[in-house]
Short mmCIF file of all heavy atoms in Angstrom, two decimals:
data_model
loop_
_atom_site.label_atom_id
_atom_site.label_comp_id
_atom_site.label_asym_id
_atom_site.label_seq_id
_atom_site.Cartn_x
_atom_site.Cartn_y
_atom_site.Cartn_z
N ILE A 197 -175.13 38.80 13.54
CA ILE A 197 -175.26 37.52 13.16
C ILE A 197 -174.83 37.36 11.64
O ILE A 197 -175.31 38.24 10.85
CB ILE A 197 -176.65 36.94 13.35
CG1 ILE A 197 -177.07 37.10 14.83
CG2 ILE A 197 -176.83 35.49 12.75
CD1 ILE A 197 -178.69 37.15 14.92
N GLY A 198 -173.96 36.42 11.30
CA GLY A 198 -173.65 36.19 9.87
C GLY A 198 -174.80 35.71 9.17
O GLY A 198 -175.40 36.26 8.18
N ARG A 199 -175.17 34.48 9.40
CA ARG A 199 -176.35 33.80 8.87
C ARG A 199 -177.33 33.31 9.83
O ARG A 199 -176.87 32.71 10.84
CB ARG A 199 -175.91 32.60 7.98
CG ARG A 199 -177.09 31.75 7.34
CD ARG A 199 -176.54 30.51 6.72
NE ARG A 199 -175.95 30.91 5.49
CZ ARG A 199 -175.17 30.01 4.72
NH1 ARG A 199 -175.07 28.76 5.08
NH2 ARG A 199 -174.57 30.43 3.57
N MET A 200 -178.61 33.61 9.57
CA MET A 200 -179.65 33.23 10.52
C MET A 200 -180.69 32.30 9.90
O MET A 200 -181.18 32.73 8.84
CB MET A 200 -180.25 34.53 11.10
CG MET A 200 -181.33 34.31 12.15
SD MET A 200 -181.97 35.98 12.72
CE MET A 200 -183.10 35.45 13.88
N GLY A 201 -180.76 31.09 10.43
CA GLY A 201 -181.86 30.19 9.74
C GLY A 201 -181.18 28.82 9.64
O GLY A 201 -179.99 28.67 9.55
N SER A 202 -182.15 27.78 9.63
CA SER A 202 -181.64 26.42 9.34
C SER A 202 -182.72 25.69 8.79
O SER A 202 -183.88 26.20 8.53
CB SER A 202 -181.35 25.84 10.76
OG SER A 202 -182.31 25.77 11.65
N LYS A 203 -182.49 24.45 8.50
CA LYS A 203 -183.52 23.58 7.90
C LYS A 203 -184.66 23.13 8.95
O LYS A 203 -185.70 22.90 8.57
CB LYS A 203 -182.86 22.23 7.35
CG LYS A 203 -181.88 22.59 6.15
CD LYS A 203 -181.24 21.30 5.71
CE LYS A 203 -180.27 21.50 4.59
NZ LYS A 203 -179.59 20.29 4.04
N THR A 204 -184.23 23.23 10.15
CA THR A 204 -185.24 22.92 11.15
C THR A 204 -185.16 23.93 12.29
O THR A 204 -184.14 24.67 12.35
CB THR A 204 -184.92 21.52 11.83
OG1 THR A 204 -183.59 21.58 12.46
CG2 THR A 204 -185.01 20.37 10.79
N GLY A 205 -186.17 24.09 13.04
CA GLY A 205 -186.22 25.09 14.16
C GLY A 205 -186.57 26.39 13.67
O GLY A 205 -186.70 26.59 12.48
N THR A 206 -186.67 27.37 14.65
CA THR A 206 -187.02 28.73 14.33
C THR A 206 -186.04 29.65 15.03
O THR A 206 -186.22 29.96 16.28
CB THR A 206 -188.42 29.07 14.80
OG1 THR A 206 -189.32 28.14 14.14
CG2 THR A 206 -188.86 30.48 14.53
N PRO A 207 -184.89 30.02 14.46
CA PRO A 207 -183.96 30.93 15.15
C PRO A 207 -184.60 32.30 15.36
O PRO A 207 -185.38 32.79 14.57
CB PRO A 207 -182.86 31.03 14.10
CG PRO A 207 -183.45 30.64 12.85
CD PRO A 207 -184.60 29.69 13.11
N ARG A 208 -184.26 32.83 16.60
CA ARG A 208 -184.87 34.16 16.99
C ARG A 208 -183.83 34.95 17.43
O ARG A 208 -182.90 34.70 18.13
CB ARG A 208 -185.87 33.96 18.01
CG ARG A 208 -187.16 33.15 17.57
CD ARG A 208 -188.06 32.99 18.68
NE ARG A 208 -189.32 32.34 18.25
CZ ARG A 208 -190.49 32.86 17.75
NH1 ARG A 208 -190.47 34.28 17.72
NH2 ARG A 208 -191.44 32.25 17.39
N ALA A 209 -183.98 36.35 17.11
CA ALA A 209 -183.14 37.35 17.73
C ALA A 209 -184.14 38.43 18.23
O ALA A 209 -184.98 38.93 17.56
CB ALA A 209 -182.21 38.07 16.65
N THR A 210 -183.99 38.74 19.52
CA THR A 210 -184.96 39.62 20.20
C THR A 210 -184.32 40.74 21.10
O THR A 210 -183.31 40.45 21.69
CB THR A 210 -185.85 38.78 21.17
OG1 THR A 210 -186.50 37.65 20.47
CG2 THR A 210 -186.95 39.68 21.84
N SER A 211 -184.82 41.92 20.92
CA SER A 211 -184.25 43.02 21.81
C SER A 211 -182.78 43.17 21.78
O SER A 211 -182.14 43.28 22.83
CB SER A 211 -184.80 42.82 23.20
OG SER A 211 -186.21 42.74 23.27
N SER A 212 -182.22 43.16 20.58
CA SER A 212 -180.78 43.20 20.47
C SER A 212 -180.33 44.30 19.43
O SER A 212 -181.24 44.77 18.78
CB SER A 212 -180.20 41.93 20.01
OG SER A 212 -180.45 40.85 20.95
N SER A 213 -179.15 44.83 19.64
CA SER A 213 -178.75 46.00 18.83
C SER A 213 -177.30 45.95 18.57
O SER A 213 -176.47 45.52 19.28
CB SER A 213 -179.17 47.14 19.47
OG SER A 213 -178.53 47.38 20.77
N VAL A 214 -177.03 46.53 17.25
CA VAL A 214 -175.64 46.81 16.87
C VAL A 214 -175.47 48.37 16.94
O VAL A 214 -176.14 49.07 16.25
CB VAL A 214 -175.37 46.32 15.52
CG1 VAL A 214 -173.92 46.64 15.07
CG2 VAL A 214 -175.68 44.74 15.39
N LEU A 215 -174.47 48.82 17.74
CA LEU A 215 -174.42 50.23 18.01
C LEU A 215 -173.64 51.03 17.06
O LEU A 215 -172.83 50.48 16.28
CB LEU A 215 -173.76 50.43 19.48
CG LEU A 215 -174.49 49.70 20.60
CD1 LEU A 215 -173.79 49.99 21.89
CD2 LEU A 215 -175.95 50.19 20.66
N THR A 216 -173.87 52.28 17.07
CA THR A 216 -173.06 53.20 16.25
C THR A 216 -171.56 52.97 16.30
O THR A 216 -171.04 52.82 17.40
CB THR A 216 -173.37 54.77 16.54
OG1 THR A 216 -174.74 54.96 16.43
CG2 THR A 216 -172.63 55.57 15.69
N GLY A 217 -170.79 53.02 15.25
CA GLY A 217 -169.31 52.75 15.30
C GLY A 217 -169.09 51.35 14.71
O GLY A 217 -167.90 51.21 14.44
N THR A 218 -170.09 50.55 14.57
CA THR A 218 -169.79 49.24 14.07
C THR A 218 -169.72 49.31 12.47
O THR A 218 -170.50 49.92 11.81
CB THR A 218 -170.93 48.21 14.32
OG1 THR A 218 -170.96 48.10 15.77
CG2 THR A 218 -170.69 46.91 13.71
N LEU A 219 -168.62 48.72 11.95
CA LEU A 219 -168.48 48.81 10.50
C LEU A 219 -168.64 47.36 10.02
O LEU A 219 -167.95 46.41 10.51
CB LEU A 219 -167.01 49.28 10.04
CG LEU A 219 -166.67 49.14 8.60
CD1 LEU A 219 -167.61 49.98 7.74
CD2 LEU A 219 -165.26 49.57 8.42
N VAL A 220 -169.62 47.14 9.16
CA VAL A 220 -169.82 45.74 8.63
C VAL A 220 -169.53 45.94 7.19
O VAL A 220 -169.96 46.74 6.42
CB VAL A 220 -171.34 45.34 8.73
CG1 VAL A 220 -171.58 44.00 8.23
CG2 VAL A 220 -171.69 45.39 10.23
N GLN A 221 -168.60 44.97 6.76
CA GLN A 221 -168.26 45.14 5.40
C GLN A 221 -167.91 43.75 4.74
O GLN A 221 -167.52 42.84 5.37
CB GLN A 221 -166.95 46.00 5.12
CG GLN A 221 -165.74 45.47 5.84
CD GLN A 221 -164.54 46.46 5.97
OE1 GLN A 221 -164.59 47.30 5.04
NE2 GLN A 221 -163.69 46.32 6.83
N SER A 222 -168.35 43.61 3.38
CA SER A 222 -168.11 42.45 2.63
C SER A 222 -167.20 42.80 1.50
O SER A 222 -167.57 43.63 0.67
CB SER A 222 -169.35 41.88 2.19
OG SER A 222 -169.15 40.71 1.37
N ARG A 223 -166.03 42.14 1.41
CA ARG A 223 -165.15 42.51 0.30
C ARG A 223 -165.62 42.01 -1.01
O ARG A 223 -165.22 42.53 -2.09
CB ARG A 223 -163.80 41.78 0.48
CG ARG A 223 -163.03 42.41 1.81
CD ARG A 223 -161.54 42.10 1.66
NE ARG A 223 -160.82 42.63 2.80
CZ ARG A 223 -160.40 41.92 3.80
NH1 ARG A 223 -160.72 40.74 3.84
NH2 ARG A 223 -159.75 42.67 4.79
N ALA A 224 -166.67 41.10 -0.99
CA ALA A 224 -167.29 40.65 -2.23
C ALA A 224 -168.22 41.51 -2.84
O ALA A 224 -168.55 41.39 -4.07
CB ALA A 224 -167.90 39.29 -1.94
N VAL A 225 -168.74 42.48 -2.10
CA VAL A 225 -169.76 43.46 -2.71
C VAL A 225 -169.02 44.38 -3.77
O VAL A 225 -168.06 44.98 -3.45
CB VAL A 225 -170.34 44.32 -1.60
CG1 VAL A 225 -171.18 45.35 -2.19
CG2 VAL A 225 -171.09 43.51 -0.71
N GLY A 226 -169.53 44.22 -5.02
CA GLY A 226 -169.00 45.03 -6.08
C GLY A 226 -167.77 44.56 -6.68
O GLY A 226 -167.04 45.25 -7.37
N ALA A 227 -167.25 43.34 -6.16
CA ALA A 227 -166.03 42.79 -6.81
C ALA A 227 -166.27 41.30 -6.97
O ALA A 227 -167.22 40.70 -6.48
CB ALA A 227 -164.95 43.05 -5.76
N ALA A 228 -165.27 40.65 -7.74
CA ALA A 228 -165.25 39.30 -8.04
C ALA A 228 -164.85 38.58 -6.72
O ALA A 228 -164.02 39.00 -6.04
CB ALA A 228 -164.34 39.01 -9.26
N PHE A 229 -165.47 37.23 -6.67
CA PHE A 229 -165.05 36.47 -5.57
C PHE A 229 -163.64 35.90 -5.85
O PHE A 229 -163.13 35.83 -6.99
CB PHE A 229 -166.05 35.20 -5.58
CG PHE A 229 -167.14 35.43 -4.72
CD1 PHE A 229 -167.92 36.62 -4.60
CD2 PHE A 229 -167.79 34.29 -4.02
CE1 PHE A 229 -168.91 36.78 -3.87
CE2 PHE A 229 -168.81 34.54 -3.16
CZ PHE A 229 -169.40 35.74 -3.08
N PRO A 230 -162.91 35.55 -4.72
CA PRO A 230 -161.55 34.79 -4.95
C PRO A 230 -161.72 33.64 -5.77
O PRO A 230 -162.68 32.91 -5.75
CB PRO A 230 -161.19 34.59 -3.48
CG PRO A 230 -162.04 35.49 -2.69
CD PRO A 230 -163.29 35.70 -3.44
N SER A 231 -160.63 33.38 -6.53
CA SER A 231 -160.78 32.16 -7.48
C SER A 231 -160.89 30.81 -6.77
O SER A 231 -161.34 30.00 -7.29
CB SER A 231 -159.46 32.14 -8.27
OG SER A 231 -158.30 32.05 -7.35
N ASP A 232 -160.55 30.84 -5.39
CA ASP A 232 -160.67 29.57 -4.72
C ASP A 232 -161.87 29.54 -3.77
O ASP A 232 -161.88 28.75 -2.88
CB ASP A 232 -159.42 29.37 -3.94
CG ASP A 232 -159.15 30.45 -2.88
OD1 ASP A 232 -159.74 31.52 -2.98
OD2 ASP A 232 -158.25 30.23 -2.00
N TYR A 233 -162.83 30.40 -4.02
CA TYR A 233 -164.02 30.42 -3.18
C TYR A 233 -164.86 29.08 -3.25
O TYR A 233 -164.82 28.42 -4.35
CB TYR A 233 -164.97 31.58 -3.53
CG TYR A 233 -165.98 31.91 -2.53
CD1 TYR A 233 -165.73 32.49 -1.34
CD2 TYR A 233 -167.36 31.44 -2.84
CE1 TYR A 233 -166.79 32.88 -0.41
CE2 TYR A 233 -168.34 31.77 -1.87
CZ TYR A 233 -167.91 32.38 -0.74
OH TYR A 233 -168.92 32.71 0.26
#
Side-chain angles (χ1 to χ4, degrees):
I197 302 158
R199 173 184 291 170
M200 188 176 178
S202 63
K203 295 180 180 178
T204 59
T206 304
R208 293 179 178 270
T210 305
S211 301
S212 297
S213 58
V214 180
L215 302 180
T216 302
T218 299
L219 174 64
V220 181
Q221 56 186 344
S222 172
R223 293 200 177 101
V225 175
F229 271 36
S231 60
D232 58 348
Y233 193 73

